[in-house]
Structures are given as C-alpha cells and as structure tokens.
C-alpha cells in the first residue's frame, strides 16, 4: 500500500536580509522533506544550510528505512560532520551551523527529527498542533514558567538556539514517530514564518487553503513579508492523500519521474 | 544596558539602569525605585529580569499601571515604551536594541539546554552583523473588512474577516479565500469554479478588491466593506 503525498514549497529572502540563508530539500518519491536555516559567526550561513539540507536528503533518500529514527539521527550526524569538513577547508566558515527539521513519510507513519527552532506543524481536522519543541533559550524559559508564549515571540533572546548542526556544542536531534491520517496537512518551516505569524492565523490560513497547496505555500510567505519580512522564510507543505491500491508498473514509472530534489531557489 | 527614566510633570526625577536583579517600584521605603506619592501603592509594580528581557508586572496596585496608554498586568518592555504610574512617567530606554539590532540573528549556545543568564547576556553583547532596521511583528496593520451577503434569502448576513485568511464557499461548488494585507483585501480561487468580482471571473492567485466590490463565491453574492 502506498500513500499519495501532495507537496508544495517556497523559500524567500524576505524584505530585510540580502541573502537567503535557508535551504530546502525534497524527495517526494522517498517521502523525505528537509528545511535548514543557516547561521554564522563570520560567514557561511547559506553554505551551512545547503550542506545540511543536501546531506540529510542524500542520506535519507538512500536509507533502507528499517530503523528510521536511527537513520534520521545518522543523517543529522552526517550533516554536522559535513559542515565541520567545510569549516576545516575554509577557515572563514568557522562557527557556521544550521537549524534543521526533517520529516520522513513512509506508510502509515511519519518520522521527524529536528535541531534548533525549525518546526513541524500538523493540521488535522482544522486543529493545528506543533509537533516539535524548539531547542531555544526562550523555550527553556517558557518551560520554567518565567515567560509567556507571547513573550517568547517578542523576546530579545528569541534567536538563541541551544542546539545546531555543525556547532561545537549539542548537535543531536530530537526524533519521534507519529501515525499519519489521510487528510493530514503537515508544515515544515523556519523561524522566519513562526516568529511573525501567530499560530491562530496560521491555522486559519492552512484550513482555508488546504485544497490548494501551491496557493497556501505562497500565501504563508506573503503573510510573513506583510509582517515585516525580517528574516528568510521557508515552508514545505505535505498533504496525506487517500491510500492507493497497488499501482501498475507503468504508473510507478510516472511516480518515479515525479521524484525531484532541489536546494534553495524558488518553488518548483 | 537598559534603563528606566522617571519624570513627573515633564521634569526628570531620576534615571536607573536595570542590572541583574528585579526592581520593585512603589511608595514603600524599601522599594528599589521609590515614587513618593500617596496614589502610588507601596509595592506598585516590578521589572523582572529574564535573560535579555525585562518584564513589567503590576503587583496588584490600587490605581493600575499603564504602558503606552493601555492598562497592563504584565508586559515585555520594548525600547521607547512609556510606563505611566499615576503622575509619574517612566520611559524604558534600551540603546542596544536600537543601535545594533542585537538579537535579530540566530545564534547558538554551546552549552546544555539550561543556559546561565550571564552567558545569554554575554553572547548578545557580540557585535551584531545585521543592519539596525528591523520591522517588528507588532508594527503590522492589516486592512480590516467584512463581507455581507448582498442578494437572496440570506441577504444581510455578515462575515467579518477576523483572521488574515478566511475560507469561503464549499467543496464541489467552488472554494475561495479572502486575504487581509496591509495594502487591502484580496480574493483567490482555492478550487472549483473561480470566484467572480463584479461579474468577472478572476485569474490565478490573489486579486485586489475595492470597497463596494461584489464578490460571487459558490453562487452567493457578497458586498465588500472595508474598515
């Protein structure tokens, strides 16, 4: 049994930054989606995010899928190592890193891994749920009850992440598996979206545009930019279709032809 | 470093830097920032220090605490905020957030998840690579509007455009969405037959609307009102 996935994505520089330091990787055939957001002390933020997204996508596209959580951890490890190798060759990249979220759809379950404040959301029957817990300073403060949810979005410390790929500190992802249902809509995004757009607005937009993913992806970027567009913004939307019967070989070829992978750049 | 600049009737009373410890504002002798007036409660308000942020809390005062004219129980202070406690005006000044735009870029802490606040503060004192001007979420102002059914048995029924995006229509008969932007209200086809604006079907993507436009979605005709 295979499950059809509808996918749409956008990545945008925003209105303030000069460079898009986000990267997107999609392998629709393998059901693998990755978003990474680069950071740097000196330079290389856009390099770090691309290396991270590409490495994670390559590792997962070629993985057996037998032990998906282990394979996700290994893919994130490989991304940290690949960033480290680039730094070793190019000293001005010292201190670069990336936050990332990867979702791997296969059969009735989704496996997710994330590092930092890139997020996965799920819209199910009109209800939006955050599926990842940020690795960030404000999240720690929120858990301790020292600040409110609204204050975390206004905080001066909101960009301080406690884990990142390629950093010399903690790089290990949180991993989890969740059952999927036909009709579920998943959103992977960078902080450029969730920092500016409130979750009630996000939920309303996704519910209204659910039947047109291309329009939905474009609209999410517009919503972030209409709120100042302070950061790069990247989104991947994935809708779970109804289960399909075994497909004849000819159609399988068509499915494989749909496989696409790209990094950065506008939509597809 | 952030500070509180206190004035009364336009005259400077005092200026106080905010350090590591919380500041109690009130009439009591023991208050850290003393406002000596009978209408101020003994412990009127407090400024809490959380990482790089300063959170103002009203401590159940008799006469209340205002920020920029609004009564608050709790408020995360932003540069330029004016706190009013009776006759006193307390301006919150944070030059760092103005000059350098510190904190606008993602940075990583190379520690465990529990970050000492001294570390958090030290990291923010690094030179910030980002330009100073950053638009804030709070500055957004989206066009308000509503749709009123213009004809037929349900004439007059009103749909307020509450969220940024509002879904309209029904599966099979044509679905559309309305989008509020700073520049106005927009409509787009989601699936099925395209909506019509003043009897003309729209193309792909978002189309701008004007006050008084008649928008037809799934056979129902609506009148757009702005504001």
């Amino acid at each position: 049994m295979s499950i059809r996935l509808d996918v749409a994505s956008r990545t945008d520089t925003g209105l303030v930054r000069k460079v898009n330091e986000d990267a997107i990787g999609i392998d629709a055939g393998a059901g693998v989606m990755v978003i990474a957001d680069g950071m740097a002390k000196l330079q290389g933020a856009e390099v770090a995010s691309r290396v991270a997204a590409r490495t994670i996508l390559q590792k997962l596209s070629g993985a057996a899928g037998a032990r998906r959580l282990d394979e996700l951890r290994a893919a994130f490890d490989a991304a940290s190592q690949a960033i480290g190798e680039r730094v070793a060759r190019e000293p001005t990249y010292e201190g670069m890193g990336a936050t990332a979220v990867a979702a791997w759809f296969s059969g009735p379950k989704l496996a997710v891994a994330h590092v930092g404040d890139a997020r996965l959301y799920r819209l199910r029957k009109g209800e939006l749920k955050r599926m990842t817990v940020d690795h960030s300073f404000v999240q720690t403060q929120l858990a301790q009850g020292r600040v409110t949810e609204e204050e975390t979005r206004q905080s001066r410390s909101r960009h301080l992440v406690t884990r990142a790929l390629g950093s010399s500190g903690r790089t290990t992802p949180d991993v989890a598996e969740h059952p999927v249902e036909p009709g579920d809509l998943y959103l992977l995004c960078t902080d450029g979206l969730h920092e500016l757009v409130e979750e009630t607005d996000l939920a309303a937009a996704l519910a209204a545009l659910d039947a047109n993913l291309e329009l939905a992806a474009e609209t999410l970027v517009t919503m972030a930019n209409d709120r100042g567009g302070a950061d790069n913004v990247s989104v991947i939307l994935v809708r779970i279709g109804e289960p399909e019967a075994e497909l004849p070989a000819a159609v399988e070829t068509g499915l494989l032809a749909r496989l696409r992978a790209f990094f950065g750049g506008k939509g597809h | 470093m952030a500070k509180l600049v206190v004035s009364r009737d336009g005259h400077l009373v005092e200026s106080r830097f905010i350090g590591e410890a919380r500041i109690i504002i009130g009439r009591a002798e023991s208050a850290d920032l003393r406002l000596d007036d009978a209408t101020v409660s003994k412990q009127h308000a407090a400024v809490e220090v959380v990482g790089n942020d300063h959170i103002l809390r009203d401590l159940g005062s008799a006469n209340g605490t205002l920020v920029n004219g609004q009564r608050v129980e709790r408020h995360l202070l932003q540069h330029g905020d004016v706190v009013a406690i009776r006759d006193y005006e307390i301006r919150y000044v944070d030059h760092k957030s103005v000059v350098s735009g510190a904190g606008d870029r993602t940075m990583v802490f190379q520690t465990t998840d529990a970050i000492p606040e001294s570390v958090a503060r030290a990291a923010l004192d690094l030179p910030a690579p980002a330009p100073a001007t950053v638009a804030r979420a709070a500055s957004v102002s989206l066009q308000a509007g509503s749709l009123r059914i213009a004809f037929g048995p349900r004439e007059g029924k009103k749909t307020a455009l509450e969220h940024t995006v509002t879904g309209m229509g029904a599966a099979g008969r044509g679905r559309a969405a309305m989008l509020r932007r700073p520049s106005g209200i927009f409509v787009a086809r989601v699936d099925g037959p395209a909506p019509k604006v003043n009897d003309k079907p729209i193309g792909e993507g978002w189309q701008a609307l004007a006050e008084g436009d008649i928008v037809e979605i799934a056979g129902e005709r609506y009148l757009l009102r702005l504001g």
Side-chain angles (χ1 to χ4, degrees), chain B residues 19-41:
Chain B
E20 305 267 329
R22 84 168 179 170
I23 296 175
I24 303 280
I25 303 168
R27 176 164 51 86
E29 292 272 0
S30 60
D32 303 303
L33 181 59
R34 197 156 174 242
L35 305 180
D36 193 8
D37 187 291
T39 60
V40 175
S41 297

Side-chain angles (χ1 to χ4, degrees), chain B residues 74-90:
Chain B
R74 187 182 163 102
H75 174 80
L76 191 145
L77 289 164
Q78 307 276 354
H79 172 73
D81 278 350
V82 176
V83 180
I85 294 177
R86 300 302 290 175
D87 297 342
Y88 293 90
E89 190 181 279
I90 306 173

Side-chain angles (χ1 to χ4, degrees), chain A residues 16-17 21 37 39 41 99 117 135 137 140-141 146-148 151 154-164 167-170 191 195-196 200-201 204-205 208-209 211-212 215 218-219 222-223 226-228 230-231, chain B residues 49-53 55 74 76-79 92 94 97 103-113 115 117 120 124 133-137 140 142 163-167 175 177 179 181-182 188-191 205-206:
Chain A
V16 175
R17 302 288 179 84
E21 297 168 350
D37 180 354
M39 63 185 81
K41 238 180 219 154
T99 69
D117 60 1
H135 304 130
F137 177 76
T140 310
Q141 299 289 321
R146 302 193 63 194
V147 297
T148 65
E151 284 163 2
Q154 301 167 0
S155 169
R156 284 182 194 79
S157 305
R158 64 194 186 281
H159 295 288
L160 304 181
V161 296
T162 50
R163 300 187 204 177
S167 82
S168 56
R170 294 187 72 179
D191 61 344
E195 191 172 281
L196 292 176
T200 49
D201 251 345
L209 303 171
N212 187 336
L215 182 67
E218 180 195 319
T219 305
T222 300
M223 288 167 75
D226 280 350
R227 286 159 175 75
D231 197 355
Chain B
V49 181
V50 181
N52 300 288
D53 297 312
I55 297 172
R74 187 182 163 102
L76 191 145
L77 289 164
Q78 307 276 354
H79 172 73
Y92 176 73
D94 181 32
S97 74
D104 290 327
R105 294 221 153 208
T106 304
M107 284 184 284
V108 67
F109 277 107
Q110 297 169 353
T111 66
T112 64
D113 281 354
I115 309 153
E117 282 172 23
L124 272 196
T133 50
V134 170
R136 293 264 167 247
V140 67
L142 303 175
H163 295 294
T164 309
V165 179
T166 305
R175 277 186 287 198
L179 171 66
R181 302 192 61 187
R189 171 185 169 273
V190 175
D191 70 351
W206 293 104

